[in-house]
Amino acid sequence: MEQQELAAAIDRQVPHLWMVRTFLKHADESEDDDDLREVVRDVYDFILALGPLDESTDLQKYIKQSLRKIRSLRRACDLYNEIQPEVSGHTNFEMAARSLKLSTDRIEELLQAYKQSLK
């Protein structure tokens, strides 16, 4: 997989991360839940580290940042999926958990395939 293709595929997942982060950030439940705020911060940190993907983006840096930050995104995803039933059983929270997991899994798959292609 070439760098442009990889970066574009990762970038297609970022809006999903953004929507989950925005939903959780503005949920009343976030006010009193340190773990939930940690999830929000870690998802935002991943998005912020990558920055916008456009024609001026340094693809190597974008991919390097993705590789560097994927562990914290995975940690946030796992934490949210663990605490979500305690936070709220509402469908919106369940869908946020599923969406975060799908996006995180996809980004990990892409990065793993890229690393394998370098060997």
Side-chain angles (χ1 to χ4, degrees), residues 51-65:
L53 181 64
D54 57 29
E55 53 279 341
S56 67
T57 301
D58 178 341
L59 295 177
Q60 279 187 305
K61 182 178 177 186
Y62 189 93
I63 294 165
K64 183 178 180 181
Q65 286 294 83

Side-chain angles (χ1 to χ4, degrees), residues 18-116:
W18 183 265
M19 293 306 295
V20 169
R21 176 229 173 237
T22 301
F23 167 70
L24 295 176
K25 180 179 187 242
H26 295 290
D28 292 339
E29 288 80 355
S30 289
E31 292 177 19
D32 300 322
D33 194 311
D34 291 337
D35 287 338
L36 195 52
R37 285 195 305 272
E38 181 181 336
V39 169
V40 169
R41 279 191 304 270
D42 286 347
V43 172
Y44 183 70
D45 185 51
F46 181 85
I47 297 166
L48 186 63
L50 299 184
L53 181 64
D54 57 29
E55 53 279 341
S56 67
T57 301
D58 178 341
L59 295 177
Q60 279 187 305
K61 182 178 177 186
Y62 189 93
I63 294 165
K64 183 178 180 181
Q65 286 294 83
S66 298
L67 288 164
R68 200 173 128 247
K69 294 293 186 174
I70 191 62
R71 278 185 277 164
S72 63
L73 180 61
R74 170 49 63 195
R75 189 173 49 248
C77 176
D78 291 347
L79 176 59
Y80 182 62
N81 276 277
E82 178 185 324
I83 66 171
Q84 178 269 311
E86 299 164 17
V87 170
S88 176
H90 191 279
T91 303
N92 291 343
F93 288 88
E94 291 175 7
M95 291 297 120
R98 289 175 60 186
S99 185
L100 181 58
K101 182 169 180 357
L102 286 168
S103 295
T104 302
D105 288 352
R106 180 64 181 141
I107 293 169
E108 280 185 329
E109 289 168 8
L110 291 163
L111 292 171
Q112 188 63 33
Y114 177 73
K115 289 192 306 191
Q116 291 290 12

